């Protein structure tokens, strides 16, 4: 009887120890839960929680209603939350190297293989005390979307005079320095009402998500070609990362790498579905051609690189990684 009792106590102690061994990370996401990108992140969370059962778990606390989208990068750096899914552009002042991803014509798959993501991770750790876990939802680019039919000059260049263009820190270097547009900066959550009230009549946005946000109620034209890449990624507080068990770290990293691959395919499928639905609903597509198209794409890339280089020059380490970042995140041959 005594041995049985001792065995039971030992088993209970082991069970409590196993329960205590599970690492838990708190997480928030930049965009509302209804947006496709957030759904992608929540899919990643489900995969981690399934693969890491008993070892590691992600506890999602919400989105911008929990912590403001622009406050989230500071919150994860300061340890208020352990993990954030957000565009790198939301903390571009602290880490201008994110522009290599913004201007990229590669996906996370290629940049994981060639060492680009490892370099971005290293820079995050050095400059912000953050672990860059993965670049999710890559391979999707941006378009300009307008309410009214866009106009072009005699050389086929897009005319923006009089356009009330919504901007943000992802693409303002391109919009202002090349297109010469006067932009109105607005966070994503305020664009619907701004379109509704006529405050803006055009915006940049990714190839997917317009329907989720219901902006297609007001926007009628998509301008081709597309430009840039999404720069959405998962960042983790470094102190928290270092506190995790090696097994927990491995599960998180393995699932993130697989999700980088899965999300490329899933979002390209979603893009095709969204384009079909938009065109069925009356969305018209207009395109720049020839030299005007080439100049438009080159400007999107080069103005963003210029911004990256000038901001890097103001920070410790300067432009040491500039050439290497471009080499790892842009295939010039594919652009020609």
């Amino acid at each position: 009887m005594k041995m049985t009792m001792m065995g039971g106590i030992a088993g209970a102690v082991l069970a409590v120890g196993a329960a205590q061994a599970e690492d838990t990370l708190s997480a928030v996401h930049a965009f509302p839960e209804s947006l496709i990108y957030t759904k992608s992140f929540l899919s990643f969370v489900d995969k981690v929680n399934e693969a890491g059962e008993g070892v590691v778990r992600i506890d999602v606390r919400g989105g911008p209603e929990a912590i403001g989208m622009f406050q989230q990068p500071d919150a994860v750096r300061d340890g208020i939350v352990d993990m954030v899914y957000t565009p790198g552009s939301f903390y571009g002042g602290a880490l201008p190297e994110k522009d290599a991803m913004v201007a990229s014509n590669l996906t996370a798959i290629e940049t994981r293989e060639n060492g680009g993501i490892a370099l971005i991770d290293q820079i995050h750790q050095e400059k912000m005390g953050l672990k860059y876990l993965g670049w999710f939802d890559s391979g999707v680019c941006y378009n300009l979307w307008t309410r009214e039919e866009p106009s072009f000059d005699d050389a086929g260049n897009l005319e923006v005079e009089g356009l009330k263009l919504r901007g943000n820190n992802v693409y303002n270097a391109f919009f202002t320095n090349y297109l010469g547009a006067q932009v109105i900066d607005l966070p994503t959550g305020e664009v619907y009402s701004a379109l509704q009230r006529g405050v803006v009549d055009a915006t940049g946005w990714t190839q997917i998500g317009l329907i989720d946000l219901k902006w297609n109620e007001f926007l009628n034209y998509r301008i081709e070609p597309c430009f840039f890449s999404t720069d959405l990624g998962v960042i983790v507080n470094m102190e928290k990362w270092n506190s995790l068990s090696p097994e927990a770290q491995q599960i998180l990293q393995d699932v993130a790498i697989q999700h980088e691959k899965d999300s490329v395919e899933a979002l390209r499928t979603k893009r095709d579905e969204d384009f079909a639905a938009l065109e069925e609903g009356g969305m018209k597509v207009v395109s720049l051609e020839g030299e005007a198209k080439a100049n438009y794409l080159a400007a999107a890339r080069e103005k963003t690189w210029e911004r990256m280089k000038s901001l890097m020059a103001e920070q410790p380490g300067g432009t040491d990684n500039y050439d290497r970042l471009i080499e790892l995140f842009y295939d010039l041959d594919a652009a020609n």
Side-chain angles (χ1 to χ4, degrees), residues 88-101:
S89 297
F90 283 6
Y91 52 94
L95 202 134
E97 290 87 349
K98 60 83 192 174
D99 270 341
M101 306 170 84

Side-chain angles (χ1 to χ4, degrees), residues 80-269:
I80 296 169
V81 68
D82 299 323
M83 173 185 287
V84 166
Y85 169 74
T86 186
S89 297
F90 283 6
Y91 52 94
L95 202 134
E97 290 87 349
K98 60 83 192 174
D99 270 341
M101 306 170 84
V102 170
S104 181
N105 64 350
L106 301 175
T107 69
I109 299 169
E110 290 94 6
T111 55
R112 175 71 68 177
E113 290 174 352
N114 70 19
I117 292 180
L119 179 56
I120 285 289
D121 179 26
Q122 174 191 325
I123 295 168
H124 274 76
Q125 293 188 36
E126 292 173 351
K127 287 196 169 185
M128 294 188 70
L130 294 173
K131 169 71 178 175
Y132 192 83
L133 190 64
W135 181 17
F136 293 173
D137 310 318
S138 62
V140 175
C141 51
Y142 289 77
N143 288 96
L144 266 174
W145 309 79
T146 65
R147 186 192 303 268
E148 305 297 337
E149 183 174 1
S151 59
F152 303 89
D153 65 20
D154 292 341
N157 298 302
L158 180 67
E159 294 183 322
V160 297
E161 187 176 353
L163 203 62
K164 293 179 286 187
L165 178 59
R166 176 255 177 169
N168 70 14
N169 52 6
V170 178
Y171 27 70
N172 280 355
F174 173 40
F175 286 177
T176 59
N177 296 353
Y178 175 69
L179 294 180
Q182 297 295 315
V183 300
I184 302 168
D185 284 348
L186 291 170
T188 304
E190 295 179 17
V191 176
Y192 181 90
S193 62
L195 287 166
Q196 188 176 45
R197 292 181 288 114
V199 174
V200 297
D201 51 26
T203 184
W205 189 252
T206 61
Q207 293 175 309
I208 59 175
L210 207 77
I211 296 172
D212 297 337
L213 295 163
K214 299 182 180 179
W215 296 354
N216 58 306
E217 294 177 13
F218 310 103
L219 299 170
N220 303 305
Y221 292 87
R222 185 180 86 239
I223 300 173
E224 292 287 348
C226 69
F227 52 92
F228 289 170
S229 172
T230 51
D231 62 339
L232 291 154
V234 170
I235 48 180
V236 182
N237 176 273
M238 202 66 215
E239 187 175 342
K240 178 65 176 182
W241 176 260
N242 289 334
S243 76
L244 300 175
S245 69
E247 186 180 3
Q249 290 181 347
Q250 193 65 54
I251 290 168
L252 285 164
Q253 190 63 87
D254 288 348
V255 175
I257 291 171
Q258 185 59 49
H259 193 69
E260 286 176 342
K261 298 174 183 176
D262 294 343
S263 62
V264 168
E265 182 176 350
L267 266 63
R268 283 178 172 171
T269 299

